[in-house]
Amino acid sequence: MEQGQTTASADTQIVTDIESGQTQAETELYRKYQARVYYLALRESGSTHDAEDVCAETFLRVLQVIRAKELRSPAALPAFILGTTRNVLHELFSRRRQAGKTTDPEDADLSLPSHEKLFLDAEVQQAITRVIGRLKPRERDMLHMHFYEELPAEEIAKRFGIARERVRLVKSRALRHFREVYERLDAATGTKKLATRQG
């Protein structure tokens, strides 16, 4: 209970800071929840490309709501992010269904209680935090520039001092390393595993 209260208090502070225009709070929001959003998206879409798009769109919408001071309960930030992720996934499945390319969104079980437990579970949060800590600085920076700053490939290439065509390769390697480290930690510690399919 005490840990839950601490998390709620931290989330409330993040929301307050974002509302007041503190960009570092936006970075903290991304760092805290990006991995969980990405893995939920990967779990449901089965595609790393789709998971990346869902992750970027989710944070864009969440930040827009917070910046406009339209978030009803800052303490319920995790549930709001989870709900936004579900909505983005549902829209993705709906578009694909209309194009005859994917599963009916109702068949994706986006409202299963296990997903909320997966997203909010303290053990999962701690495991993901450890994973991020074990990534190379270059990998963390790449994922942050792509998902949070939403920089174009040209700008990312410039910052890294690499050719533009190598950006996608470096990003893919960073995501693959993220998954590999998570799986190794999960196997070693017995924490709950996030079931994913290869994209």
Side-chain angles (χ1 to χ4, degrees):
M1 183 68 177
E2 182 177 344
Q3 182 179 2
Q5 291 175 340
T6 300
T7 299
S9 176
D11 285 341
T12 298
Q13 188 61 53
I14 288 175
V15 171
T16 300
D17 290 344
I18 292 175
E19 290 177 342
S20 64
Q22 298 185 36
T23 56
Q24 66 269 26
E26 297 184 359
T27 301
E28 178 61 25
L29 173 71
Y30 173 86
R31 288 177 176 170
K32 186 173 183 180
Y33 290 105
Q34 182 271 338
R36 280 179 276 178
V37 170
Y38 175 79
Y39 264 96
L40 178 56
L42 181 62
R43 170 176 175 158
E44 295 307 325
S45 69
S47 163
T48 55
H49 178 73
D50 287 341
E52 293 167 17
D53 289 345
V54 169
C55 190
E57 179 64 23
T58 295
F59 279 100
L60 177 63
R61 295 186 187 185
V62 169
L63 285 172
Q64 286 176 337
V65 170
I66 297 177
R67 289 167 182 162
K69 300 182 179 181
E70 296 176 351
L71 183 63
R72 294 182 180 180
S73 174
L77 179 62
F80 174 66
I81 296 174
L82 172 64
T84 302
T85 306
R86 285 174 173 165
N87 289 339
V88 175
L89 280 164
H90 192 281
E91 292 170 11
L92 170 66
F93 289 135
S94 293
R95 290 195 301 270
R96 295 288 176 77
R97 183 189 177 207
Q98 291 173 1
K101 296 181 179 180
T102 195
T103 308
D104 190 304
E106 282 71 27
D107 293 336
D109 293 329
L110 298 182
S111 60
L112 284 177
S114 60
H115 289 163
E116 185 150 357
K117 186 173 183 180
L118 168 70
F119 192 85
L120 304 178
D121 192 285
E123 285 187 24
V124 173
Q125 179 181 348
Q126 292 168 7
I128 290 174
T129 299
R130 290 197 298 273
V131 171
I132 293 174
R134 295 194 181 194
L135 292 180
K136 298 176 182 178
R138 177 186 177 91
E139 294 171 333
R140 289 198 298 268
D141 291 344
M142 171 62 75
L143 296 181
H144 183 270
M145 289 179 193
H146 177 75
F147 287 116
Y148 177 72
E149 297 184 54
E150 299 181 1
L151 297 176
E154 292 81 359
E155 178 62 24
I156 294 177
K158 181 179 178 181
R159 293 194 184 188
F160 274 89
I162 60 178
R164 182 185 182 281
E165 55 269 20
R166 284 185 52 81
V167 171
R168 186 172 183 83
L169 175 61
V170 175
K171 181 190 67 177
S172 296
R173 286 176 177 172
L175 289 171
R176 184 170 64 250
H177 188 203
F178 188 107
R179 292 194 299 272
E180 291 172 350
V181 173
Y182 186 93
E183 290 169 0
R184 287 200 301 269
L185 281 175
D186 182 58
T189 62
T191 54
K192 298 173 183 178
K193 192 176 184 68
L194 298 175
T196 63
R197 298 187 295 272
Q198 291 294 328

mmCIF file of all heavy atoms in Angstrom, residues 126-141:
data_model
loop_
_atom_site.group_PDB
_atom_site.id
_atom_site.type_symbol
_atom_site.label_atom_id
_atom_site.label_comp_id
_atom_site.label_asym_id
_atom_site.label_seq_id
_atom_site.Cartn_x
_atom_site.Cartn_y
_atom_site.Cartn_z
ATOM 1 N N GLN A 126 9.539 -2.878 -11.993
ATOM 2 C CA GLN A 126 10.912 -2.962 -11.508
ATOM 3 C C GLN A 126 11.809 -3.680 -12.502
ATOM 4 O O GLN A 126 12.958 -3.287 -12.715
ATOM 5 C CB GLN A 126 10.931 -3.677 -10.153
ATOM 6 C CG GLN A 126 10.275 -2.879 -9.037
ATOM 7 C CD GLN A 126 10.034 -3.701 -7.790
ATOM 8 O OE1 GLN A 126 10.481 -4.846 -7.702
ATOM 9 N NE2 GLN A 126 9.336 -3.129 -6.829
ATOM 10 N N ALA A 127 11.293 -4.745 -13.102
ATOM 11 C CA ALA A 127 12.086 -5.502 -14.074
ATOM 12 C C ALA A 127 12.421 -4.641 -15.276
ATOM 13 O O ALA A 127 13.559 -4.641 -15.771
ATOM 14 C CB ALA A 127 11.323 -6.752 -14.508
ATOM 15 N N ILE A 128 11.441 -3.892 -15.772
ATOM 16 C CA ILE A 128 11.669 -3.044 -16.935
ATOM 17 C C ILE A 128 12.664 -1.937 -16.602
ATOM 18 O O ILE A 128 13.513 -1.576 -17.422
ATOM 19 C CB ILE A 128 10.340 -2.458 -17.441
ATOM 20 C CG1 ILE A 128 9.486 -3.571 -18.067
ATOM 21 C CG2 ILE A 128 10.579 -1.348 -18.459
ATOM 22 C CD1 ILE A 128 8.109 -3.150 -18.478
ATOM 23 N N THR A 129 12.576 -1.400 -15.384
ATOM 24 C CA THR A 129 13.531 -0.376 -14.960
ATOM 25 C C THR A 129 14.951 -0.924 -14.988
ATOM 26 O O THR A 129 15.896 -0.256 -15.422
ATOM 27 C CB THR A 129 13.204 0.120 -13.542
ATOM 28 O OG1 THR A 129 11.891 0.711 -13.542
ATOM 29 C CG2 THR A 129 14.214 1.156 -13.080
ATOM 30 N N ARG A 130 15.115 -2.173 -14.559
ATOM 31 C CA ARG A 130 16.434 -2.794 -14.588
ATOM 32 C C ARG A 130 16.911 -2.997 -16.019
ATOM 33 O O ARG A 130 18.096 -2.837 -16.322
ATOM 34 C CB ARG A 130 16.406 -4.143 -13.856
ATOM 35 C CG ARG A 130 16.246 -4.018 -12.345
ATOM 36 C CD ARG A 130 16.635 -5.312 -11.663
ATOM 37 N NE ARG A 130 15.785 -6.431 -12.052
ATOM 38 C CZ ARG A 130 14.644 -6.744 -11.468
ATOM 39 N NH1 ARG A 130 14.194 -6.016 -10.458
ATOM 40 N NH2 ARG A 130 13.938 -7.795 -11.870
ATOM 41 N N VAL A 131 15.980 -3.346 -16.901
ATOM 42 C CA VAL A 131 16.346 -3.545 -18.307
ATOM 43 C C VAL A 131 16.880 -2.245 -18.897
ATOM 44 O O VAL A 131 17.933 -2.214 -19.536
ATOM 45 C CB VAL A 131 15.130 -4.031 -19.126
ATOM 46 C CG1 VAL A 131 15.462 -4.016 -20.621
ATOM 47 C CG2 VAL A 131 14.729 -5.430 -18.712
ATOM 48 N N ILE A 132 16.152 -1.155 -18.689
ATOM 49 C CA ILE A 132 16.567 0.133 -19.231
ATOM 50 C C ILE A 132 17.943 0.506 -18.701
ATOM 51 O O ILE A 132 18.791 1.035 -19.423
ATOM 52 C CB ILE A 132 15.534 1.222 -18.866
ATOM 53 C CG1 ILE A 132 14.210 0.941 -19.604
ATOM 54 C CG2 ILE A 132 16.060 2.611 -19.228
ATOM 55 C CD1 ILE A 132 13.089 1.864 -19.220
ATOM 56 N N GLY A 133 18.187 0.200 -17.429
ATOM 57 C CA GLY A 133 19.468 0.514 -16.823
ATOM 58 C C GLY A 133 20.620 -0.270 -17.425
ATOM 59 O O GLY A 133 21.777 0.154 -17.346
ATOM 60 N N ARG A 134 20.316 -1.416 -18.032
ATOM 61 C CA ARG A 134 21.364 -2.262 -18.606
ATOM 62 C C ARG A 134 21.601 -2.009 -20.088
ATOM 63 O O ARG A 134 22.515 -2.576 -20.674
ATOM 64 C CB ARG A 134 21.027 -3.736 -18.381
ATOM 65 C CG ARG A 134 21.037 -4.118 -16.915
ATOM 66 C CD ARG A 134 21.053 -5.613 -16.722
ATOM 67 N NE ARG A 134 21.044 -5.971 -15.317
ATOM 68 C CZ ARG A 134 21.309 -7.171 -14.856
ATOM 69 N NH1 ARG A 134 21.597 -8.147 -15.695
ATOM 70 N NH2 ARG A 134 21.275 -7.433 -13.561
ATOM 71 N N LEU A 135 20.772 -1.182 -20.688
ATOM 72 C CA LEU A 135 21.002 -0.851 -22.085
ATOM 73 C C LEU A 135 22.204 0.076 -22.204
ATOM 74 O O LEU A 135 22.520 0.836 -21.288
ATOM 75 C CB LEU A 135 19.766 -0.154 -22.677
ATOM 76 C CG LEU A 135 18.502 -0.987 -22.849
ATOM 77 C CD1 LEU A 135 17.399 -0.121 -23.433
ATOM 78 C CD2 LEU A 135 18.744 -2.206 -23.710
ATOM 79 N N LYS A 136 22.857 0.019 -23.331
ATOM 80 C CA LYS A 136 23.971 0.921 -23.589
ATOM 81 C C LYS A 136 23.425 2.342 -23.744
ATOM 82 O O LYS A 136 22.310 2.536 -24.228
ATOM 83 C CB LYS A 136 24.710 0.504 -24.853
ATOM 84 C CG LYS A 136 25.331 -0.881 -24.792
ATOM 85 C CD LYS A 136 25.956 -1.256 -26.121
ATOM 86 C CE LYS A 136 26.543 -2.670 -26.070
ATOM 87 N NZ LYS A 136 27.113 -3.077 -27.372
ATOM 88 N N PRO A 137 24.197 3.354 -23.342
ATOM 89 C CA PRO A 137 23.741 4.747 -23.473
ATOM 90 C C PRO A 137 23.279 5.066 -24.897
ATOM 91 O O PRO A 137 22.282 5.768 -25.089
ATOM 92 C CB PRO A 137 24.991 5.555 -23.093
ATOM 93 C CG PRO A 137 25.710 4.669 -22.124
ATOM 94 C CD PRO A 137 25.518 3.279 -22.688
ATOM 95 N N ARG A 138 23.999 4.529 -25.877
ATOM 96 C CA ARG A 138 23.637 4.761 -27.282
ATOM 97 C C ARG A 138 22.249 4.214 -27.580
ATOM 98 O O ARG A 138 21.458 4.848 -28.288
ATOM 99 C CB ARG A 138 24.675 4.095 -28.183
ATOM 100 C CG ARG A 138 24.399 4.180 -29.687
ATOM 101 C CD ARG A 138 25.438 3.342 -30.419
ATOM 102 N NE ARG A 138 25.221 3.296 -31.847
ATOM 103 C CZ ARG A 138 25.748 4.135 -32.721
ATOM 104 N NH1 ARG A 138 26.510 5.117 -32.295
ATOM 105 N NH2 ARG A 138 25.537 4.002 -34.024
ATOM 106 N N GLU A 139 21.921 3.050 -27.007
ATOM 107 C CA GLU A 139 20.618 2.436 -27.244
ATOM 108 C C GLU A 139 19.519 3.225 -26.556
ATOM 109 O O GLU A 139 18.449 3.454 -27.129
ATOM 110 C CB GLU A 139 20.638 0.989 -26.754
ATOM 111 C CG GLU A 139 21.579 0.110 -27.551
ATOM 112 C CD GLU A 139 21.775 -1.262 -26.951
ATOM 113 O OE1 GLU A 139 21.637 -1.406 -25.717
ATOM 114 O OE2 GLU A 139 22.072 -2.202 -27.713
ATOM 115 N N ARG A 140 19.778 3.640 -25.321
ATOM 116 C CA ARG A 140 18.778 4.441 -24.603
ATOM 117 C C ARG A 140 18.510 5.747 -25.344
ATOM 118 O O ARG A 140 17.355 6.172 -25.495
ATOM 119 C CB ARG A 140 19.255 4.731 -23.178
ATOM 120 C CG ARG A 140 19.253 3.527 -22.266
ATOM 121 C CD ARG A 140 19.307 3.953 -20.810
ATOM 122 N NE ARG A 140 20.527 4.681 -20.490
ATOM 123 C CZ ARG A 140 21.636 4.117 -20.033
ATOM 124 N NH1 ARG A 140 21.687 2.804 -19.865
ATOM 125 N NH2 ARG A 140 22.702 4.844 -19.760
ATOM 126 N N ASP A 141 19.583 6.391 -25.821
ATOM 127 C CA ASP A 141 19.428 7.658 -26.523
ATOM 128 C C ASP A 141 18.647 7.480 -27.820
ATOM 129 O O ASP A 141 17.803 8.307 -28.170
ATOM 130 C CB ASP A 141 20.800 8.259 -26.832
ATOM 131 C CG ASP A 141 21.524 8.736 -25.582
ATOM 132 O OD1 ASP A 141 20.859 8.885 -24.538
ATOM 133 O OD2 ASP A 141 22.753 8.945 -25.659
#
